[in-house]
Amino acid sequence: MCQATVYLIQESQECEVMRDVILLERTENGVRLHTFFEEPKMLPAQVQQVDFLKHTVTLVALEKHGG
């Protein structure tokens, strides 16, 4: 089985967000991550890189627009 580990880059820091991700959905507000046994996690981010060899996805946080 080929699950991925997802990392998020935010303010020049890269941190692991979720392991064993089986589905990544792009939404108008960012991305939704799914695993087998956890509730989906919504992140305000966009995909920067997918490494199929390492089974990793790197996301970049979307900038917050203050009002």
Side-chain angles (χ1 to χ4, degrees), residues 25-61:
E25 290 181 278
R26 191 172 143 224
T27 71
E28 66 181 51
N29 298 321
V31 294
R32 184 178 299 118
L33 307 173
H34 298 263
T35 66
F36 281 117
F37 302 110
E38 297 175 40
E39 290 293 315
K41 181 183 277 193
M42 184 67 194
L43 294 172
Q46 65 185 13
V47 176
Q48 179 186 51
Q49 176 179 307
V50 177
D51 187 325
F52 294 105
L53 187 60
K54 294 180 182 177
H55 304 282
T56 61
V57 177
T58 303
L59 304 175
V60 176

Side-chain angles (χ1 to χ4, degrees), residues 1-3 19-23 34-39:
M1 297 175 73
C2 294
Q3 295 93 1
R19 288 179 178 241
D20 301 324
V21 174
I22 60 170
L23 176 66
H34 298 263
T35 66
F36 281 117
F37 302 110
E38 297 175 40
E39 290 293 315

Side-chain angles (χ1 to χ4, degrees), residues 44 60-65:
V60 176
L62 295 175
E63 292 184 25
K64 294 180 183 177
H65 299 293

Side-chain angles (χ1 to χ4, degrees), residues 3-23:
Q3 295 93 1
T5 302
V6 177
Y7 297 90
L8 177 66
I9 297 174
Q10 187 173 24
E11 298 177 7
S12 302
Q13 300 282 346
E14 181 178 295
C15 64
E16 184 178 303
V17 175
M18 187 177 267
R19 288 179 178 241
D20 301 324
V21 174
I22 60 170
L23 176 66

